[in-house]
Amino acid sequence: MHINIGEQRDNWNTLLLNSINMMTLTAATMAGAAAIGGTGTSLLALKLSSTLLYSAVAGMSLVMNKIQQSQLAEEQRNAARLFKQLRSQIHTMLALGTPSTEDVKDVIERVLALDKAYPLPLLGAMLEKFPHKFEPAVWWPSIQLQKQHKLRERNQLEKNGWSEELEVEMREIMEVVKTKDSEDYERLGNLVLKINKILAISGPLLTGIAAVGSACVGNGSWPVIVAVAAGALATTVNAFQHGGQVGMVFEMYRTTGGFFRLLQETIEATLEERDSEKRENGQLFEMKLALKLGRSLSQLRDLARKSASSCLDGTAIDEFASKLF
């Protein structure tokens, strides 16, 4: 369902953008034609047609900018990917043994959290496309991290693979993720959000100005200049915003920010469990973390050493934790 809806909303973006740009350019052409050779009834017809087209485009632009089709499509792509990931985890759970009632409840809660993070309907459930502040996406239930304390590994090695050095390493990695990766994506997310807000206001505003100018064609040279120029600028703004899929970029930053937040919470929840026997195996946990950050184990340990050295020197580390994003 999420894949189908995502494809539909991606089609919306393409079709609406093409329609709006063609309507805007047609209205600008009519306004120019009215100023050049329009007289009497022909002038009135061209002015009226141009004004109506500009007015329709202004209304359609407001709707487009409100729902952000490219962002809606990206939301559904992320939802489809995360549901596939959840399905794979369920298969693994079934392959390892008989799931318990707690496992069933955990999966249900994760499904509900995904539905809340990436809703299918538009009316009444659509995510706010222009929040006051950038916030990472959250698609996992808060109690999921508590349940990780109950995970056990059969292979017990050096206190379930954990040591004091590994705990220090995990804390350093968590600090780098928090101070470098998360902060950088928060900065970029806020920047894209501001750009998108400006573009969302500029498109309908320019089209409205063009409509007023078109209605006044025939009363001097300035109305036609305003009508044509504002229409051309509106087309440029719409092409940049929706053709460049600025909303999709914002959603991509939200998802990546959520990935880093989940990473931090996972490490923190694991380290808070003082009984190492109740944690996930330390060596396996370290390997999974390295893979998620796009690093080898040696690179992950080098990063932790660099972070510790920077803290001792009182300087900021000049390297990001993730090599994937």
Side-chain angles (χ1 to χ4, degrees), residues 13 68-74 77 242 245-248:
N13 189 52
Q68 293 289 313
Q69 308 81 233
S70 64
Q71 186 173 348
L72 289 173
E74 181 66 12
R77 283 192 287 267
H242 298 290
Q245 300 195 349
V246 179
M248 182 274 289

Side-chain angles (χ1 to χ4, degrees), residues 303-323:
L303 178 66
R305 282 193 289 269
K306 287 181 182 178
S307 176
S309 177
S310 298
C311 289
L312 291 175
D313 296 339
T315 59
I317 188 171
D318 58 352
E319 187 176 356
F320 291 94
S322 176
K323 288 193 173 184

Side-chain angles (χ1 to χ4, degrees), residues 2-3 75-85:
H2 283 282
I3 291 174
E75 288 173 7
Q76 301 312 314
R77 283 192 287 267
N78 288 329
R81 174 178 57 82
L82 291 168
F83 271 114
K84 286 180 180 178
Q85 185 182 83

Side-chain angles (χ1 to χ4, degrees), residues 32 69 87-88 106 124 186 200 236 239 250:
Q69 308 81 233
R87 181 190 177 197
S88 176
D106 179 52
E186 183 177 354
T236 304
F250 176 69

Side-chain angles (χ1 to χ4, degrees), residues 78 82 117-118 127 134-140 251 253-262:
N78 288 329
L82 291 168
Y118 300 107
L127 299 177
F134 173 83
E135 289 291 341
V138 178
W139 60 84
W140 60 93
E251 183 60 28
Y253 286 153
R254 285 186 69 247
T255 303
T256 309
F259 167 79
F260 288 125
R261 175 178 288 185
L262 178 59

Side-chain angles (χ1 to χ4, degrees), residues 17 19-20 32 43 67 79 87 90-91 104 113 122 148 174 178-179 191 200 204 219 227 246 250 281-282 292 311:
L17 175 61
S19 299
I20 281 181
L43 174 63
I67 65 177
R87 181 190 177 197
I90 294 172
H91 277 299
V104 175
L122 291 178
Q148 288 186 2
M174 183 173 63
K178 180 179 179 181
T179 57
L191 176 63
N219 298 320
V246 179
F250 176 69
N281 180 270
K292 288 178 179 179
C311 289

Side-chain angles (χ1 to χ4, degrees), residues 181-196:
D181 300 76
S182 294
E183 285 189 5
D184 190 60
Y185 273 94
E186 183 177 354
R187 177 184 62 82
L188 291 172
N190 281 314
L191 176 63
V192 173
L193 178 60
K194 290 178 182 178
I195 293 173
N196 204 22

